[in-house]
Amino acid sequence: MRTAIVIGVGPDQGLGAQLCKRFAAEGLHVLVAGRTQSALDAVVADIEAAGGRATAAIADATSEKDIVALFDRAGSGLELAIYNAGNNTPGRIIDMEAGYFEQSWRVVCFGGFLFGREAVRRMVPKGAGTLLFTGASASLRGRSGYGAFNSSKAGLRTLAQAMAKEYAADGIHVGHVVVDGAIGGEKIRKRFPDAAGREERLISIEGIVDGFVFLYKQPRRAWSFELDVRTSNETW
């Protein structure tokens, strides 16, 4: 059975959930991983109702034990692993508690290390597999008021790049998707209710998912490491 793991799954109208649904539609059995059982169960129910296969898996991205167990559940058919964990952590450095900075790094970068390590440990013996990481504008540049998030995302990107170079010869395709702007999903609409009137400035979730599918389907003689996605209104 061909399997995929997506970690960092939250509300239905979020990137993680939509990645799960699309790859289930591509014929993979998806392990839907995150921290909220009700959200995971809802995604699994939708996938199964559409004729796909999925399993909910509670997992903390920063727990080595949880991540090892998650990959053990995927079995020998693992083809795809997507690290989508990590929320924005704003704040001025002068006011920041050490624990706040460290937690941002743990969720975004350290969690990416645990996830990536377990993925290649399963994929390298088979000589095939795709490992993808969700990035952000912060992956590429520092911004005032976002030092914790910027450094965490930049660290994740360079980790992904190192893994892409380290395991390409073993047949493992490692990719990084830069989401340059606000995603038109549930989180942004709840935080900023007026966002619905600015749809042209919100990145389409479906379009972002298209990018992940594109990377997954690339042949070995035409691999990309990085894809960036933004609206036509974004200045960059």
Side-chain angles (χ1 to χ4, degrees), residues 4-8 31 33 59-64 66-68 70-71 78 80-85 106-123 130-134 156 159 163:
I5 298 174
V6 180
I7 194 168
L31 269 70
D60 180 344
T62 66
S63 166
E64 183 173 21
D66 283 6
I67 298 304
V68 171
L70 178 63
F71 277 88
L78 181 65
L80 171 68
I82 299 177
Y83 192 75
N84 185 58
R106 288 187 66 83
V107 174
V108 175
C109 189
F110 178 66
F113 155 73
L114 292 176
F115 189 87
R117 184 193 68 184
E118 293 307 309
V120 295
R121 282 180 171 177
R122 272 77 174 174
M123 293 174 177
T130 302
L131 170 62
L132 303 175
F133 296 89
T134 301
L156 181 68
L159 169 69
M163 294 187 74

Side-chain angles (χ1 to χ4, degrees), residues 101-195:
F101 183 93
E102 182 178 12
Q103 184 62 14
S104 177
W105 169 80
R106 288 187 66 83
V107 174
V108 175
C109 189
F110 178 66
F113 155 73
L114 292 176
F115 189 87
R117 184 193 68 184
E118 293 307 309
V120 295
R121 282 180 171 177
R122 272 77 174 174
M123 293 174 177
V124 166
K126 300 191 304 176
T130 302
L131 170 62
L132 303 175
F133 296 89
T134 301
S137 311
S139 305
L140 304 176
R141 57 185 179 271
R143 180 183 173 191
S144 175
Y146 292 88
F149 188 59
N150 293 157
S151 56
S152 301
K153 277 294 188 182
L156 181 68
R157 179 177 184 261
T158 53
L159 169 69
Q161 190 174 64
M163 294 187 74
K165 296 175 180 180
E166 197 165 304
Y167 297 104
D170 295 303
I172 313 305
H173 183 194
V174 181
H176 182 256
V177 179
V178 175
V179 182
D180 188 13
I183 299 174
E186 183 176 320
K187 287 184 179 180
I188 192 72
R189 298 181 200 287
K190 280 190 173 181
R191 289 181 60 194
F192 303 101
D194 64 337

Side-chain angles (χ1 to χ4, degrees), residues 16-28:
Q18 295 303 311
L19 285 167
C20 291
K21 292 182 178 183
R22 179 70 71 83
F23 282 106
E26 293 287 335
L28 281 74

